[in-house]
Amino acid sequence: SFHKLKGNGKTYGFPIISEIGSILDNFYKKKDPQFLFLAQKAILTMQKLTHSYQQYQEMRESDIPEYFEIIHFAHRWRRISSS
């Protein structure tokens, strides 16, 4: 569940996963049609993080463009929905 990703990411040293889990959890609960778009970006992000971890390589947020797409989309959506 996305709620578990939200809670467990930081615990295991992956704050990116917690942030993505929080965003996906919110979009899923609201039954937002953009959920699938965000889920696809999240899967790509998780794959890159997993590959980096398996190769013992450090990965920064700036190395994952899909992560920024998710964050940008969520911030834009919050501004639109609050106005």
Side-chain angles (χ1 to χ4, degrees), residues 5-7 13 25 33 45 54 59 68:
L5 286 175
K6 175 182 165 183
D25 192 41
T45 300
Q54 290 172 340
M59 180 169 272
F68 285 105

Side-chain angles (χ1 to χ4, degrees), residues 19-32:
E19 190 166 13
I20 291 172
S22 176
I23 291 168
L24 288 174
D25 192 41
N26 288 331
F27 276 80
Y28 181 76
K29 286 177 182 175
K30 293 177 183 183
K31 297 181 180 10
D32 191 286

Side-chain angles (χ1 to χ4, degrees), residues 3 6 9 11 18 20 24 27 35-36 44 49 52 56 70 73 77 79:
H3 188 76
K6 175 182 165 183
T11 303
S18 286
I20 291 172
L24 288 174
F27 276 80
F35 170 76
L36 289 178
L44 289 171
L49 286 171
S52 173
Y56 301 104
I70 294 167
F73 186 87
W77 183 85
R79 274 185 273 146

Side-chain angles (χ1 to χ4, degrees), residues 1-82:
S1 90
F2 304 112
H3 188 76
K4 287 183 182 178
L5 286 175
K6 175 182 165 183
N8 289 334
K10 279 186 184 177
T11 303
Y12 292 100
F14 296 100
I16 292 173
I17 293 175
S18 286
E19 190 166 13
I20 291 172
S22 176
I23 291 168
L24 288 174
D25 192 41
N26 288 331
F27 276 80
Y28 181 76
K29 286 177 182 175
K30 293 177 183 183
K31 297 181 180 10
D32 191 286
Q34 296 299 323
F35 170 76
L36 289 178
F37 167 78
L38 292 172
Q40 289 171 336
K41 297 295 179 182
I43 289 168
L44 289 171
T45 300
M46 303 289 186
Q47 288 172 335
K48 288 182 178 184
L49 286 171
T50 300
H51 178 75
S52 173
Y53 180 75
Q54 290 172 340
Q55 301 299 317
Y56 301 104
Q57 296 173 341
E58 182 179 340
M59 180 169 272
R60 297 178 309 268
E61 294 171 358
S62 59
D63 296 330
I64 311 170
E66 295 83 4
Y67 169 71
F68 285 105
E69 288 181 61
I70 294 167
I71 300 303
H72 177 73
F73 186 87
H75 287 297
R76 191 175 68 222
W77 183 85
R78 285 182 191 135
R79 274 185 273 146
I80 292 169
S81 64
S82 65

